[in-house]
C-alpha cells in the first residue's frame, strides 16, 4: 500500500473512531461538520457560554467583575448546601433543543461532547473532588427513559479526568413529579427528603469531596437536596457541575 493510501486509511480509521465516540454532525442541529463533537459555525455563536465573572458560590454570571470571591444576593441571603456550582452554558432558546434532545430523544451520543465541555468549565471542581456521582433517577423513570442522562455525563467526566464515579451513591426514595413547570417553592417541596445515600454506600463518604453531576440547573432545589443527603452522609463538601443552567434576570435560584 502506498504511503498516501496508508495515510488515507489511517485518517478514515481515525474518523470512524471519532464518529463512534462523537455524533458525526453538529451536536445541536446535526449539520455535517469536519470535526466530530463540535457545534457548526451557525450554532456555535448562538450559544451563551458561562464564564467569569460569576457568583463564587452558585456560578450565576455577572455583567461586571466585582472582584474575586464576590457572591450573588441569593447566595448571601440563603447560602446553598453545596459549596460551588458551575455550568457550561446558559439554558435558553439556542441550547434548549440540544439539551432536550439529549435528555428525552435517546441522543445519548452527545454525552462525550457535553462531558468534554463540562470538564473544561468545571476543571477546578473536578481537580478538587475525590469522587463523582450523578443525580439519580427513580428506577421507574429509569426504566421508562432507559438511561440516566446525568449518569452518562458523570461516567464520561470520570473517564476523561481519571476520577472515580460512584453511580449508585445516591438513590431516589420515591418518584417525584417532573420539576418542569413547577414554581421555585413547589420544586423545593417536590424534592424535600427524596434523596438518600444508598445503604451499601453509607460508609464510603467519610470526609470526601463529592462532585455532583446533573444536566441542567434550574432553581438548584434538586442538587441542594442531593447535597444535603451527601453532607449528612459524611461528605466534607459537595460541588455541582451541570451542562447548562437557567439564568434569570434576578437570580432567584436556590
Ligand atoms: Zn449546528
Ligand atoms: Zn450565587
Amino acid at each position: 500500500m502506498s504511503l498516501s493510501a496508508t495515510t488515507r486509511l489511517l485518517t478514515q480509521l481515525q474518523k470512524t473512531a471519532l464518529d463512534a465516540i462523537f455524533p458525526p454532525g453538529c451536536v445541536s442541529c446535526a449539520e455535517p461538520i469536519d470535526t466530530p463533537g463540535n457545534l457548526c459555525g451557525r450554532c456555535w455563536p448562538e450559544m451563551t457560554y458561562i464564564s467569569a465573572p460569576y457568583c463564587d458560590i452558585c456560578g450565576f454570571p455577572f455583567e461586571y467583575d466585582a472582584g474575586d470571591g464576590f457572591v450573588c444576593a441569593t447566595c448571601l441571603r440563603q447560602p446553598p448546601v453545596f459549596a460551588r456550582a458551575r455550568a457550561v452554558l446558559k439554558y435558553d432558546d439556542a441550547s434548549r433543543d440540544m439539551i432536550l434532545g439529549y435528555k428525552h430523544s435517546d441522543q445519548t451520543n452527545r454525552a462525550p461532547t457535553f462531558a468534554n465541555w463540562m470538564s473544561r468549565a468545571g476543571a477546578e471542581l473536578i481537580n478538587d473532588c475525590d469522587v463523582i456521582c450523578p443525580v439519580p433517577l427513580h428506577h421507574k423513570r429509569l426504566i421508562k427513559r432507559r438511561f440516566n442522562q446525568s449518569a452518562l455525563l458523570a461516567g464520561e467526566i470520570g473517564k476523561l479526568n481519571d476520577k472515580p464515579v460512584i453511580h449508585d451513591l445516591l438513590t431516589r426514595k420515591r418518584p417525584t413529579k417532573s420539576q418542569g413547570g413547577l414554581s421555585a417553592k413547589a420544586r423545593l417541596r417536590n424534592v424535600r427528603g427524596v434523596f438518600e445515600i444508598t445503604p451499601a454506600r453509607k460508609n464510603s463518604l467519610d470526609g470526601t469531596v463529592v462532585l455532583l453531576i446533573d444536566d441542567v440547573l434550574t432553581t438548584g432545589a434538586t442538587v441542594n437536596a442531593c447535597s444535603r443527603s451527601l453532607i449528612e452522609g459524611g461528605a466534607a463538601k459537595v460541588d455541582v457541575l451541570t451542562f447548562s443552567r437557567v439564568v434569570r434576570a434576578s437570580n432567584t435560584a436556590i
Side-chain angles (χ1 to χ4, degrees):
M1 195 183 292
S2 72
L3 189 61
S4 66
T6 312
T7 312
R8 263 205 311 278
L9 179 66
L10 280 176
T11 312
Q12 186 53 42
L13 282 175
Q14 220 169 26
K15 193 177 172 319
T16 311
L18 279 175
D19 285 350
I21 301 169
F22 297 116
C26 165
V27 284
S28 183
C29 72
E31 275 291 302
I33 48 170
D34 291 338
T35 328
N38 273 306
L39 290 163
C40 71
R42 199 165 48 86
C43 291
W44 191 83
E46 296 288 312
M47 305 288 168
T48 307
Y49 304 91
I50 296 174
S51 57
Y54 43 56
C55 168
D56 204 39
I57 298 177
C58 75
F60 180 85
F62 296 138
E63 292 198 9
Y64 304 102
D65 193 353
D68 268 0
F70 200 76
V71 167
C72 77
T74 307
C75 289
L76 261 185
R77 200 169 50 238
Q78 194 176 7
V81 182
F82 56 80
R84 296 172 294 182
R86 300 290 181 262
V88 176
L89 45 81
K90 185 176 163 183
Y91 186 79
D92 57 11
D93 289 343
S95 63
R96 187 174 297 115
D97 287 350
M98 174 171 72
I99 293 158
L100 293 182
Y102 168 64
K103 194 165 171 160
H104 298 295
S105 309
D106 279 6
Q107 283 160 342
T108 51
N109 60 355
R110 291 175 181 177
T113 301
F114 291 0
N116 198 9
W117 298 345
M118 288 168 80
S119 296
R120 266 179 266 161
E124 203 184 335
L125 279 58
I126 294 168
N127 188 46
D128 292 350
C129 82
D130 299 308
V131 67
I132 296 173
C133 82
V135 169
L137 283 183
H138 189 262
H139 65 267
K140 280 187 184 156
R141 186 164 293 175
L142 185 60
I143 290 167
K144 208 169 145 199
R145 199 181 280 170
R146 299 197 303 277
F147 66 96
N148 173 356
Q149 73 282 0
S150 306
L152 289 181
L153 295 173
E156 293 291 340
I157 293 168
K159 255 193 282 175
L160 275 172
N161 298 280
D162 205 16
K163 285 277 179 175
V165 181
I166 306 182
H167 286 282
D168 63 349
L169 189 52
L170 286 169
T171 38
R172 264 183 208 250
K173 286 193 267 184
R174 55 183 162 84
T176 47
K177 277 188 267 179
S178 162
Q179 296 278 73
L182 297 182
S183 69
K185 271 197 180 147
R187 280 169 181 261
L188 267 181
R189 271 199 307 272
N190 195 31
V191 293
R192 188 168 293 149
V194 160
F195 301 100
E196 66 174 1
I197 308 281
T198 306
R201 300 289 188 186
K202 280 228 158 94
N203 298 321
S204 58
L205 270 180
D206 204 18
T208 53
V209 176
V210 179
L211 179 62
L212 185 63
I213 305 290
D214 206 358
D215 53 351
V216 183
L217 184 143
T218 308
T219 64
T222 300
V223 289
N224 224 21
C226 288
S227 303
R228 186 165 287 119
S229 299
L230 290 164
I231 297 280
E232 284 170 3
K237 186 171 107 165
V238 180
D239 285 324
V240 176
L241 180 58
T242 62
F243 178 62
S244 166
R245 69 160 289 157
V246 170
V247 178
R248 295 192 180 88
S250 69
N251 184 20
T252 53
I254 305 157

